[in-house]
Amino acid sequence: IPIKIDFAYRLNRLFIGGNNQGTITVLLTLLTLYETTMKGLHWQADVKLTKDSVETELDIVAMCDGYFITAECKDSFIPPPKDGETATERQQKISACTENLKAQLQREIVVANQVGAHLFLFSTLEPKVPQEIKNFIEEQNSKHDRLEIRFLSPDELLLGKFSVPDRENRHVYMYDIAGEN
């Protein structure tokens, strides 16, 4: 190519659309699940379930070592600050996003329970996840006997493995995450 000719690279529209919808987090979540498997991982992304004319979209539905897993994946859920935005406006925006996310997760946890899932994951690359979301996940987990509900942090996603409560640096398998369900 002659050097003086202008050249520009344009991303594929499908790739751009996917990135805007959380594809990176979906792929990293699947990698993390793959790294926890001993026998096999079968998955489907972007599954829409309908019951009584109510549609619920699950980012991942998977079988990992015999455990049925559903997941909600978000690259981010808090929009970046705008120029001229006051601290109060920013906090109101974060609160609204947090409440919307909690409502979405609540709906998806109900569906996960109805379809007999063993594990529901919420994974995100959001760098500063509000403590309210983490508390909500823990609260939901304590309400269910059979369904394990877990937050998959950005650090875990980027490492490609679940961390364990005792912080030992050992390989974690799905049994360690979902238990004896």
Side-chain angles (χ1 to χ4, degrees):
I1 299 174
I3 294 177
K4 294 183 182 180
I5 294 180
D6 290 331
F7 176 78
Y9 175 76
R10 287 190 298 168
L11 286 174
N12 179 300
R13 287 273 178 222
L14 184 60
F15 180 79
I16 292 170
N19 276 338
N20 290 337
Q21 297 300 316
T23 302
I24 294 170
T25 307
V26 169
L27 292 173
L28 289 173
T29 301
L30 287 168
L31 174 65
T32 304
L33 290 173
Y34 176 77
E35 291 297 325
T36 65
T37 189
M38 290 175 61
K39 298 176 184 164
L41 172 67
H42 302 281
W43 59 273
Q44 178 67 46
D46 194 27
V47 175
K48 293 180 181 157
L49 302 173
T50 305
K51 182 178 180 182
D52 300 329
S53 301
V54 176
E55 188 175 275
T56 303
E57 182 181 333
L58 298 171
D59 290 332
I60 298 173
V61 173
M63 286 296 291
C64 182
D65 288 349
Y67 292 96
F68 184 35
I69 301 163
T70 62
E72 173 59 32
C73 306
K74 297 235 182 263
D75 285 352
S76 65
F77 56 90
I78 299 174
K82 291 184 178 178
D83 290 337
E85 186 176 55
T86 66
T88 304
E89 291 170 334
R90 180 75 184 142
Q91 189 54 48
Q92 288 173 343
K93 187 184 288 184
I94 291 171
S95 293
C97 291
T98 301
E99 289 304 313
N100 288 339
L101 178 60
K102 284 171 46 180
Q104 178 184 5
L105 293 174
Q106 179 64 49
R107 288 188 305 272
E108 292 175 2
I109 289 168
V110 167
V111 170
N113 201 32
Q114 289 174 343
V115 297
H118 298 103
L119 175 64
F120 175 85
L121 293 173
F122 169 59
S123 59
T124 184
L125 288 173
E126 183 71 52
K128 293 183 180 177
V129 176
Q131 188 62 42
E132 188 177 348
I133 295 294
K134 295 175 186 178
N135 293 344
F136 175 78
I137 296 290
E138 288 177 20
E139 176 187 310
Q140 291 301 309
N141 187 45
S142 68
K143 289 181 180 179
H144 298 275
D145 293 330
R146 191 188 49 74
L147 177 64
E148 180 75 18
I149 301 165
R150 192 172 192 294
F151 170 62
L152 188 54
S153 72
D155 291 339
E156 292 172 311
L157 283 172
L158 295 174
L159 286 174
K161 66 179 191 175
F162 289 95
S163 61
V164 290
D166 56 18
R167 296 289 183 209
E168 288 182 16
N169 191 17
R170 62 183 171 89
H171 192 87
V172 178
Y173 294 102
M174 187 49 59
Y175 178 82
D176 299 316
I177 303 300
E180 296 183 27
N181 293 332

